[in-house]
Amino acid sequence: MEEILALVEARLRTALGEPDARADVTFLGTDRIEVLRFIDGDVVRYATLGMSGQPMADPTSPLADPVKGPRAELILSVRVGLADTDQVLRPLAVLAASPQVEGLIVAPGASLDVGQPLWPGAPFSSVLVAEPGGLVEDLELDAPMDPVHFLPLLPMTHNEAAWKRVRGAQELQERWLSHGTDLRDPLRTSVALD
């Protein structure tokens, strides 16, 4: 596990530069989750480190495979200075621990909800998991292990999350695109959902 996390951190540093801060959170019965912060101009990126140490297991399977299975880390990008987004560290760690705690498989198109604002005053308590491969390339591991995917998180307002449940992730993303929604704005309002 430590070897995998060292490779994951190296991949994050190659893609995003040196982190300027890091914090770690440990939940009872889970491995430690770290959150690294990277500043890139007017954008701050928070990346989890620790989620990929173990493969995510199918919750219906009687035995979890210790080697095979999907692996991922989460990345959230927001604009700097508009809100106290550093308070997102614990909610991000909660989301990263959810495969161990709840037996979830986090995959593109999924909605994840922390049940409270992602940071003080945030209009979001949930995120949409987007497709990997854009910001940070997948990290190939030795067979038979699956590669580590770096999954972008897109904050959703309560109305957007409800609309996504009915219409699907693809339609919500198309709605954001057609309205020119700045998904990095930590204070943005809901996109028009008529």
Side-chain angles (χ1 to χ4, degrees):
M1 176 177 156
E2 292 303 320
E3 290 175 19
I4 292 170
L5 296 183
L7 293 171
V8 168
E9 183 168 353
R11 176 59 53 95
L12 286 169
R13 288 172 184 265
T14 299
L16 305 176
E18 285 299 310
D20 78 322
R22 64 193 309 143
D24 63 79
V25 180
T26 304
F27 302 100
L28 188 63
T30 67
D31 297 322
R32 182 180 70 175
I33 302 289
E34 287 189 87
V35 180
L36 310 181
R37 183 179 72 185
F38 301 87
I39 304 286
D40 181 14
D42 68 339
V43 174
V44 59
R45 292 190 169 87
Y46 302 95
T48 64
L49 179 62
M51 182 177 171
S52 61
Q54 302 290 335
M56 292 181 270
D58 181 346
T60 62
S61 176
L63 291 174
D65 190 316
V67 178
K68 290 193 234 173
R71 294 174 188 262
E73 295 292 351
L74 308 175
I75 299 177
L76 174 70
S77 300
V78 291
R79 298 224 177 276
V80 172
L82 301 176
D84 186 11
T85 57
D86 279 351
Q87 299 300 313
V88 78
L89 301 178
R90 186 165 180 78
L92 264 182
V94 167
L95 295 177
S98 62
Q100 290 182 56
V101 175
E102 301 174 36
L104 294 178
I105 293 182
V106 177
S111 299
L112 303 174
D113 196 315
V114 294
Q116 64 186 32
L118 293 175
W119 51 81
F124 324 104
S125 64
S126 63
V127 293
L128 175 65
V129 181
E131 291 290 334
L135 190 59
V136 182
E137 287 183 33
D138 293 347
L139 174 63
E140 296 294 331
L141 300 174
D142 294 337
M145 292 186 283
D146 290 18
V148 176
H149 298 295
F150 296 88
L151 302 172
L153 300 180
L154 308 175
M156 294 187 291
T157 65
H158 178 71
N159 288 342
E160 290 169 341
W163 200 80
K164 182 256 175 193
R165 280 192 295 275
V166 174
R167 305 291 283 274
Q170 184 65 37
E171 284 200 37
L172 178 58
Q173 288 178 303
E174 288 172 7
R175 178 65 55 128
W176 282 334
L177 190 59
S178 68
H179 285 78
T181 305
D182 181 2
L183 296 173
R184 294 178 177 171
D185 181 350
L187 301 174
R188 74 173 179 83
T189 56
S190 187
V191 70
L193 299 170
D194 46 12

